[in-house]
Amino acid sequence: MIKGVIFDLDGTLIDSMGIWYNIDRQFLRENGVDNPPEDISDRMKKMSVDESSEYFITEFGLSCTKDYVIKRIEELVRREYEERIALKEGVPELLDFLDEKGIPYGITTATYRSLAEAVLKRHGIYERFEFLLTDAEYPKGKKSPEIFLGAAEKLGLSPAETAVAEDSLHCIETALFAGFYAVGILDKYSEKDSKAISEKSHAVYENIFSMRELFP
């Protein structure tokens, strides 16, 4: 029986993956990489903030520091999170449903904490979550189950009692490995993985509000 939910943020609760697709390229171009690889955003999805910054420097021979990369990318996307990025369809309705059922929920994300807080507060839902865990607390990111296990501990639940809602295949695989109930949320920016996500997840939805069926 599922008693709690761990939500991903980008591509799951908020419609933001297209922003990152463009920002990666914008950053590389302004640092002299005229033709960024087409799959650069796919590579970044599997990395923590720290790892992706190091990767930019070593892979493309940039002369800047890792700290500069981290701060500059945050600057480039800040306005989007503070003013523009929308919630995914069905999110408010699902949170209302979970609250009515007394189902606790929180967020694990690879996004900068300041940006995550900004978009959640703008939409008036930040205070509804039990916690917001990021790479700052779990540097290994979602390639390791530690962040999910830490989230389950905060919910007071075992992995088997906890649904992990994710739009990225590698995150779903990590959650499955750790014994969680994996819920795939289909997003157009992970379309190439949609077949694998559908095959591996315990449940898969296009509209996140459909997750309510997990809580009869």
Side-chain angles (χ1 to χ4, degrees), residues 4-119:
V5 184
I6 300 169
F7 289 108
D8 172 48
L9 183 64
D10 295 274
T12 299
L13 293 178
I14 63 174
D15 191 10
S16 55
M17 294 310 295
I19 302 300
W20 289 103
Y21 180 88
N22 292 318
I23 288 299
D24 291 333
R25 286 158 177 73
Q26 181 180 343
F27 173 80
L28 289 173
R29 288 191 181 103
E30 75 176 27
N31 284 276
V33 182
D34 295 330
N35 296 295
E38 185 63 28
D39 67 341
I40 188 62
S41 293
D42 288 333
R43 301 183 202 176
M44 297 300 103
K45 282 169 63 175
K46 299 180 182 180
M47 299 182 190
S48 66
V49 170
D50 192 72
E51 289 172 335
S52 62
S53 301
E54 184 68 38
Y55 183 84
F56 275 137
I57 293 170
T58 57
E59 180 70 10
F60 300 103
L62 305 185
S63 59
C64 51
T65 65
K66 186 166 64 174
D67 188 56
Y68 171 81
V69 177
I70 292 171
K71 290 181 178 178
R72 179 56 183 153
I73 290 178
E74 184 177 11
E75 288 173 359
L76 290 172
V77 295
R78 176 168 295 282
R79 188 171 182 182
E80 300 290 340
Y81 279 77
E82 291 181 341
E83 300 180 12
R84 296 171 183 160
I85 293 171
L87 295 176
K88 296 286 287 286
E89 183 180 358
V91 169
E93 294 83 357
L94 178 61
L95 299 187
D96 289 344
F97 175 84
L98 294 176
D99 288 343
E100 289 171 8
K101 286 280 190 177
I103 303 295
Y105 50 87
I107 295 174
T108 59
T109 180
T111 297
Y112 299 77
R113 174 174 290 276
S114 63
L115 301 181
E117 290 181 353
V119 69

Side-chain angles (χ1 to χ4, degrees), residues 47-50 109-111 133-139 141-142 147:
M47 299 182 190
S48 66
V49 170
D50 192 72
T109 180
T111 297
L133 300 182
T134 73
D135 290 351
E137 296 85 28
Y138 294 90
K142 294 183 180 179
I147 191 168

